[in-house]
Amino acid sequence: MQRIVVLAGGIGGARFLRGLQQAAPDADITVIGNTGDDIHLFGLKVCPDLDTVMYTLGGGIHPEQGWGRADETFTVKEELAAYGVGPEWFGLGDRDFATHIVRTQMIAAGYPLSAVTEALCRRWEPGVRLLPMTDDRVETHVLIDTEDGGQKAVHFQEYWVRLRASVAARAVVPVGAEQAKPAPGVLDALAAADVILFPPSNPVVSIGTILAVPGIREGIAEAGVPVVGLSPIVGGAPVRGMADRMLAAIGVETTAEAVARHYGSGLLDGWLVDTVDSAAVDAVEAAGIRCRAVPLMMADTDAAAAMAAAALDLAGEVRA
Ligand code: GDP
Ligand code: CA
């Protein structure tokens, strides 16, 4: 059985994983999920990226939105607002609240996040082993300019959801990452992998944050197996969201080629770009990374499955 390890953020990671399951139905898939986006709201621990993967693969996701639950209602949020209790900019629905209540209760009882995630997945049966990158607290902060000419750090969610990345990000800091340890199972999964994939997730605040946990980058290199990524940047822009803001903060151009070079040949063996970026193939190969141009728009699960199949093909090619 082929053992595949995937580093994943939220929407881009989850939709790719749904395609990968279709393309490789017999594979044993372990997902290392980003927890740098986690936030405490109303006294509850919210893990947006882990939940997006869990709900997407478990059939509970809001299909068009790509995050949160299908058939959601917002009574609790309205009642909180009636008390004047915010933040009102983060949309937590009633069904979603239950997940965060269970998680927070288990954490308060002493369970690590990895055990809590496993317990939540017993309900959702996502068909993959979903591991948080770490059980330790890591929180991505974004440094922005203030009106008085200074700078301040805000939580990633405040930057992304409340400010909608409307101001430039000067720096992105995964606070706590340096002291964090990979969650139980993460390094073992990497060591046992036959192939490691980077889905079209945000290279800075999703995959970059996972790689910032000491030991994970080394674990990938030491696995000695093909590492193949798919570009989240198509035609010089992110397909969804504001990844260009994050790339600018770390001085990387918003192109499929620049993201490949940013990961580098020390990490990546193969890279898929969209067909509109086929002119970038030679430059990526010149950087020592095997590159192919294939359609990379996940319009539906079949399209995501074709992308996953192309990634596995490229992994086979670099192995040979
Ligand atoms: P988030 O945590 O919800 O932001 O999700 P991820 O980090 O997993 O993925 C976000 C990235 O997915 C964005 O940078 C998008 O450009 C990328 N993305 C979303 N949909 C697609 C798609 O259909 N094709 C490609 N190539 N990238 C996509
Ligand atoms: Ca995220």
Side-chain angles (χ1 to χ4, degrees), residues 283-295:
V284 174
E285 296 224 315
I289 299 164
R290 195 80 67 94
C291 186
R292 295 284 175 272
V294 298

Side-chain angles (χ1 to χ4, degrees), residues 9-13 49 200-202 206 231-232 234 238-240 243 296-298:
I11 301 183
D49 286 0
S201 282
N202 191 306
S206 292
S231 179
V234 171
V239 176
R240 288 174 68 107
L296 288 189
M297 298 301 281
M298 297 188 281

Side-chain angles (χ1 to χ4, degrees), residues 133 138 174 177-180 207-217:
M133 64 189 196
V138 176
E178 271 170 44
Q179 293 80 36
I207 297 191
T209 308
I210 300 170
L211 293 172
V213 176
I216 294 189
R217 187 183 279 272

Side-chain angles (χ1 to χ4, degrees), residues 2-5 187-196 223-226 319:
Q2 193 177 30
R3 281 169 299 210
I4 306 174
V5 175
L187 296 182
D188 290 343
L190 289 171
D194 297 312
V195 51
I196 298 169
V225 298
R319 191 184 282 113

